[in-house]
Amino acid sequence: MIRSKTRWTVAKIDDEGEERAAILARELSLSPLVARLLVQRGLAGVDAARQFLYGGLEDLHDPFLLKGMEQAVKRIRQAEERNEYIRIFGDYDADGVSSTALMTFLFRRMGLKFDSYIPHRTLEGYGLNAKAIDLAAEAGVKLIVTVDTGISAVEQINHANSLGIDVIVTDHHEPPHVLPDAWSLINPKQEDCSYPFKGLAGVGVAFKLAQALLG
C-alpha cells in the first residue's frame, strides 16, 4: 500500500457557517464534512446545494450562450452532409483524454466520418503542431475539432487554413490577447461570451458542444 505524503486540512468556518452546514446536513441527509465543504464553496442555501448535488438536465445552461457555438454546430452539420473527414485533436492529460473520449462518443453516435489524434507528450509537446496538421492534410481531413486545447494556436491554425482545413476550437484555458483565425472559437472565458459559468473544464466545453448538436 502506498502511503499518502500529504494530508488534507479542512478550513474552519464561523458559527453562522456551522449553523448553515447543520441545516444542509439535516435537510439533504449529508455528512457534516460534505455540508461544511458546500458552505465554504458558497452553497449555503438548501436549494442551491440541492441543485449542485442533484441537478438534472433542466438545470443546464443553454449551450448556444457560448460564443461561437452556432458557427461550430453549422460547420459540423455541413461536414456531416458532405461526408467530410473530421479529426478530433485532443491533449494527453486527464481533461484532454476525457474530452477526446466524449467527442468520439458524440461523433460515433452522429455517424460522422472521423478519427482522433492526441500528440505525444515528449516528442510533440502540448497543443496543435504543424507536423500533426500536415498529417491531417495528407489523410484528407477537412475539419479539425480541438478539445481542451487550441485557444493559443495562432500560427498552427493559420497553417491549417492554408492547407484548406477548417478548425473549430473548444477550450477552457485563458485566451491570449491575439486569438487564432479559427472557423469557430468556443471558450467561456472569451471576451463578450454570455455563458454564465466561466469555470468549465475542457471536457465541460466539449459536453456543451454535444448538447448543442444532440439537443
Side-chain angles (χ1 to χ4, degrees):
M1 176 179 174
I2 300 176
R3 294 187 178 277
S4 175
K5 297 181 180 179
T6 58
R7 182 182 296 276
W8 286 99
T9 301
V10 180
K12 294 182 178 180
I13 54 180
D14 58 22
D15 291 342
E16 182 182 354
E18 289 287 359
E19 291 178 9
R20 291 179 178 275
I23 294 172
L24 291 183
R26 183 178 66 252
E27 295 293 327
L28 301 176
S29 299
L30 303 174
S31 71
L33 175 59
V34 171
R36 290 191 190 100
L37 290 173
L38 288 168
V39 171
Q40 288 175 341
R41 285 156 176 73
L43 297 165
V46 173
D47 290 339
R50 181 183 289 110
Q51 183 182 42
F52 177 78
L53 293 172
Y54 309 114
L57 294 176
E58 68 278 1
D59 297 310
L60 296 179
H61 298 304
D62 182 351
F64 288 97
L65 292 175
L66 281 159
K67 184 177 181 180
M69 183 63 76
E70 186 174 351
Q71 297 94 315
V73 168
K74 287 181 179 179
R75 182 63 184 88
I76 293 171
R77 290 297 185 193
Q78 185 182 68
E80 180 182 27
E81 293 170 2
R82 296 176 177 177
N83 196 33
E84 291 178 329
Y85 195 12
I86 306 172
R87 178 157 292 173
I88 303 163
F89 193 99
D91 185 28
Y92 43 70
D93 66 6
D95 194 15
V97 171
S98 55
S99 301
T100 303
L102 188 152
M103 198 59 58
T104 297
F105 181 84
L106 169 68
F107 285 179
R108 186 176 294 154
R109 177 170 173 176
M110 294 178 63
L112 301 181
K113 182 181 177 182
F114 76 97
D115 65 12
S116 61
Y117 186 99
I118 293 179
H120 191 286
R121 183 170 191 156
T122 304
L123 301 179
E124 296 178 81
Y126 171 79
L128 282 167
N129 63 80
K131 182 179 178 181
I133 293 170
D134 289 339
L135 291 173
E138 291 173 12
V141 171
K142 295 299 181 183
L143 175 63
I144 291 175
V145 179
T146 76
V147 287
D148 190 37
T149 190
I151 197 65
S152 301
V154 175
E155 295 181 7
Q156 294 83 355
I157 291 177
N158 282 340
H159 181 54
N161 291 338
S162 72
L163 296 176
I165 300 175
D166 295 330
V167 181
I168 293 171
V169 171
T170 75
D171 201 351
H172 71 116
H173 296 97
E174 291 293 335
H177 179 66
V178 178
L179 296 172
D181 185 23
W183 183 276
S184 175
L185 295 173
I186 306 174
N187 185 328
K189 296 176 183 174
Q190 283 187 93
E191 187 176 352
D192 299 329
C193 180
S194 60
Y195 194 77
F197 182 64
K198 306 300 180 181
L200 291 173
V203 69
V205 181
F207 173 78
K208 300 310 292 188
L209 177 57
Q211 185 188 2
L213 284 163
L214 298 180

